[in-house]
Amino acid sequence: MRVLGVDPGLTRCGVGVVEGVAGRPLTMLGVGVVRTAADDDIGVRLVGIERGIEEWLDRFSPELVAVERVFSQHNVRTVMGTAQASAVAMLCASRRGIPVALHTPSEVKAAVTGSGRADKAQVGAMVTRLLRLSAPPKPADAADALALAICHIWRAPAQNRLQQAVAQNRLQQAVAKQQATAAQQVPGPQQATAPHQTSAVKGRTR
């Protein structure tokens, strides 16, 4: 599986591509940051992020794009910018028919370091170790993007099993509902003999 991780942000949008499967060594194919100028208009900055992500999609052709799920922060301006950059990443992937997965920061930290409260230095150190790199990717946004990709590759099998179980359960419920509806529509014994009884009564009347 080849996954493009995106750590959304307006000024620095981290991107990283990891290839591999759960239980085996992973390989980093590329890592970087899409940057925009803070003094540019928001529309111009979003176009810049779109173009940057499109270039990564063209270059690496990922099978899936993993994006950090935006969560509430005290700084509304920051969370709005993160949400806008996240939406651009999801749009770019969906436009190409590439599946998108969202992971919270705590999910990523827990998957990579074993602790959902790990700091950026710990995440960077584990990413370096897991991908057998000579040094932690910089800036931290780039390391976070790789961590997102690693998180999804490791969690994908479990998520797929869960989705399959949910789909199977829904199918069983739908079949049971159809069978119950069909049973209600089948005439009962009294309904089936009623016409014959009516005819006999009419015959005696005549």
Side-chain angles (χ1 to χ4, degrees):
M1 175 181 288
R2 179 176 296 187
V3 178
L4 169 64
V6 179
D7 181 45
L10 279 179
T11 303
R12 296 185 307 273
C13 182
V15 285
V17 182
V18 177
E19 188 172 58
V21 296
R24 295 185 181 181
L26 305 177
T27 302
M28 183 194 76
L29 301 183
V31 65
V33 175
V34 177
R35 300 178 184 271
T36 66
D39 55 352
D40 282 345
D41 291 336
I42 182 63
V44 174
R45 301 182 74 180
L46 293 177
V47 169
I49 292 174
E50 178 192 24
R51 289 174 177 170
I53 292 177
E54 289 286 357
E55 290 177 0
W56 279 79
L57 294 175
D58 285 338
R59 181 179 176 185
F60 293 100
S61 301
E63 300 170 58
L64 184 139
V65 174
V67 183
E68 181 181 288
R69 184 185 297 276
V70 179
F71 63 98
S72 178
Q73 294 178 338
H74 296 296
N75 190 332
V76 177
R77 183 176 180 180
T78 299
V79 74
M80 284 297 295
T82 303
Q84 290 165 337
S86 175
V88 170
M90 290 187 285
L91 172 65
C92 291
S94 298
R95 188 161 51 199
R96 294 172 178 241
I98 301 175
V100 176
L102 300 177
H103 298 283
T104 65
S106 59
E107 288 175 347
V108 176
K109 293 176 182 178
V112 175
T113 71
S115 171
R117 297 183 178 182
D119 57 25
K120 286 187 176 295
Q122 291 174 309
V123 172
M126 285 305 299
V127 166
T128 302
R129 178 181 176 183
L130 293 171
L131 297 178
R132 305 176 303 283
L133 306 177
S134 59
K138 294 184 178 180
D141 310 85
D144 288 345
L146 291 173
L148 274 158
I150 294 172
C151 172
H152 184 79
I153 291 174
W154 282 358
R155 292 198 169 200
Q159 290 179 339
N160 290 339
R161 288 194 295 269
L162 177 60
Q163 291 174 352
Q164 291 173 355
V166 171
Q168 182 66 24
N169 183 55
R170 289 177 177 174
L171 177 60
Q172 292 175 348
Q173 290 179 348
V175 171
K177 185 177 180 180
Q178 289 178 347
Q179 291 175 343
T181 301
Q184 292 175 355
Q185 294 175 348
V186 174
Q190 295 181 351
Q191 293 176 325
T193 57
H196 300 288
Q197 294 175 352
T198 303
S199 300
V201 172
K202 288 183 178 180
R204 290 197 295 270
T205 303
R206 290 195 298 268

